[in-house]
Amino acid sequence: MKKLISLIALILICINGYSQNTYVFFGSFNRDKNTEGIYVYKLDTVKGKLSKVTSVKGILNPSFLTLSPNGKYVLACTESKTPNAGSVSSFKFNPKDETLTFINSQKSGGENPVYVTVHQNGKWVVNANYTEGSASVYPLSEDGTLHPAVQNFQFSEGSINEDRQDRSHVHAAVFSPDFTHLFLPDLGADKIRSYTFDTDKAEPMQAAQPPYIPTTLGGGPRHFTFHPNGKFAYCIEELSGTVNAYQYENSNLKSIQRINTHTDENKDNFESSDIHISPDGRFLYASNRGAENNIAIFSILEDGTLKNVGYQSILGKHARVFDIDESGKFLIIANGGSGTIVVFKRDAKTGLLKKTGRKVKIKSASCVKIRKYSST
């Protein structure tokens, strides 16, 4: 009995000395450096409740956030939607004392940065600039310092929609599963641009062959994601309200399906925005703004094609970005139009969503990223 009690006591000591917390990072179009721009909340992974832990001021319009692979640094598109401006900023997050500290910024290489990503080795950052249609590459130091861009790619050609496709509008930068290639959905040109990425070179990003994958004219490719198995990829097209499914093999994309994200009742003025896949690879989620303000839910079949299983109201307006936590248990939406954050619990079997916890108010919320941290 004494041995059993000692064992239980040892287990309790280990449990108390080891904890895991899930944090949620939000950006916002704050329009004023004197107001909060980035917010950090803690997620109760039982009840789905969000509790604010910190925020930062002194930055303007952080439109999109990403985290370094080790979780130490937050990279943000800043000075978005600001005339003749645009930057990428680096912050250090310390989960022990729950602080977020500004490190430095660099010019984004184009107006209105909208997407930023980090290579898996943590040494390179790539951002996409929407208004001028460009992408820039930056070295990132081990201490989180962002260095000036070593490459900047400018594009100019547009497509058939005169109002939205007058010129190139790069809306995302997404690495391949093995991080040897980079793909740039170009909403303005109806192309997914393709690049090789060699981390050993001083200028790692080079045009691939072919240099782009053409998409349906007028579709407006916006965000892009790979299936966890690395065999399929999916691109949401903002202007046509569709998802294009691709087979991915030998660094090439081959379209296998194009399916509507919107309901049959909605005929035009689509504003599809973000796209994510559940960690188990069984379901795909695609957000619609505008008249619908919902998330389309699809099951992913064995051959990579999609089957619609339902729609979920976002319980707000203008869901620009959403995210799914690594356990697949929660989906969190940033509703910029209504200034509300909504936490949904996922049904792992059906893929359907159910609201949990209370709405959180963040004015003009622009982005959300979820990350679990362990501490001892």
Side-chain angles (χ1 to χ4, degrees):
M1 179 62 72
K2 288 183 179 180
K3 288 184 178 181
L4 179 60
I5 293 173
S6 297
L7 179 60
I8 293 172
L10 180 61
I11 292 172
L12 289 173
I13 290 171
C14 292
I15 291 173
N16 290 331
Y18 178 82
S19 63
Q20 291 183 323
N21 290 310
T22 297
Y23 292 94
V24 189
F25 303 81
F26 298 100
S28 66
F29 288 109
N30 59 343
R31 309 290 179 182
D32 181 357
K33 285 186 177 182
N34 296 316
T35 62
E36 295 169 300
I38 298 177
Y39 304 74
V40 185
Y41 282 73
K42 186 182 291 184
L43 175 67
D44 181 331
T45 53
V46 176
K47 298 179 180 179
K49 180 182 177 182
L50 289 170
S51 302
K52 184 179 178 181
V53 297
T54 191
S55 64
V56 294
K57 298 179 181 180
I59 53 167
L60 187 66
N61 291 353
S63 63
F64 193 87
L65 313 175
T66 197
L67 295 163
S68 61
N70 60 14
K72 289 183 178 180
Y73 307 111
V74 177
L75 285 304
C77 293
T78 43
E79 296 181 281
S80 297
K81 290 191 175 181
T82 305
N84 303 312
S87 58
V88 179
S89 299
S90 179
F91 302 81
K92 182 177 181 179
F93 179 65
N94 186 338
K96 290 184 178 180
D97 58 14
E98 297 183 332
T99 57
L100 186 64
T101 308
F102 175 76
I103 299 174
N104 77 320
S105 293
Q106 297 291 348
K107 294 293 184 183
S108 65
E111 194 172 309
N112 196 11
V114 292
Y115 201 100
V116 62
T117 189
V118 186
H119 191 275
Q120 68 173 353
N121 68 8
K123 297 179 179 179
W124 294 100
V125 172
V126 182
N127 89 283
N129 301 298
Y130 177 84
T131 301
E132 296 177 350
S134 66
S136 301
V137 184
Y138 310 82
L140 183 68
S141 293
E142 287 188 15
D143 65 358
T145 299
L146 195 63
H147 297 276
V150 297
Q151 289 179 285
N152 178 256
F153 297 83
Q154 295 278 342
F155 312 105
S156 59
E157 72 272 29
S159 190
I160 63 172
N161 186 323
E162 294 181 1
D163 293 331
R164 295 294 310 279
Q165 297 179 311
D166 57 319
R167 58 161 300 143
S168 169
H169 296 306
V170 180
H171 217 302
V174 179
F175 280 106
S176 61
D178 62 2
F179 285 83
T180 62
H181 285 71
L182 187 81
F183 295 92
L184 307 175
D186 190 333
L187 185 149
D190 286 321
K191 295 177 179 180
I192 300 175
R193 302 184 186 276
S194 178
Y195 286 81
T196 60
F197 204 91
D198 188 341
T199 59
D200 293 328
K201 292 184 177 180
E203 296 184 347
M205 193 169 152
Q206 303 295 329
Q209 293 300 324
Y212 65 85
I213 298 90
T215 62
T216 303
L217 294 180
R222 179 183 170 99
H223 281 187
F224 185 76
T225 191
F226 282 93
H227 192 280
N229 66 15
K231 296 179 181 180
F232 308 108
Y234 303 86
C235 185
I236 191 164
E237 299 169 335
E238 176 178 340
L239 305 182
S240 57
T242 49
V243 171
N244 212 329
Y246 295 89
Q247 183 181 58
Y248 185 66
E249 189 175 7
N250 298 323
S251 304
N252 293 313
L253 294 169
K254 178 185 176 183
S255 180
I256 55 176
Q257 182 193 28
R258 192 164 180 259
I259 187 171
N260 291 337
T261 66
H262 55 85
T263 61
D264 292 339
E265 290 75 25
N266 199 17
K267 304 297 184 183
D268 53 22
N269 298 320
F270 307 114
E271 293 184 50
S272 297
S273 53
D274 202 11
I275 185 168
H276 292 281
I277 296 173
S278 59
D280 61 10
R282 295 183 59 204
F283 295 96
L284 180 145
Y285 299 83
S287 56
N288 296 302
R289 299 168 295 177
E292 294 196 274
N293 285 312
N294 65 16
I295 284 189
I297 305 168
F298 301 90
S299 60
I300 303 175
L301 306 183
E302 193 171 326
D303 63 358
T305 58
L306 304 175
K307 180 181 178 181
N308 183 276
V309 296
Y311 298 89
Q312 168 66 54
S313 168
I314 62 172
L315 303 177
K317 295 181 179 179
H318 202 81
R320 186 172 183 269
V321 175
F322 65 95
D323 199 14
I324 301 172
D325 79 306
E326 63 183 71
S327 73
K329 186 177 178 181
F330 296 101
L331 184 151
I332 301 178
I333 298 175
N335 293 324
S338 55
T340 53
I341 306 300
V342 185
V343 180
F344 291 95
K345 198 168 186 179
R346 288 185 60 253
D347 186 314
K349 293 182 179 180
T350 66
L352 300 179
L353 306 173
K354 183 178 181 180
K355 181 184 175 298
T356 184
R358 295 180 178 179
K359 289 183 181 180
V360 169
K361 287 283 189 178
I362 295 180
K363 185 179 179 180
S364 301
S366 61
C367 185
V368 52
K369 290 291 177 183
I370 310 169
R371 170 101 183 198
K372 182 169 68 175
Y373 289 81
S374 301
S375 60
T376 56

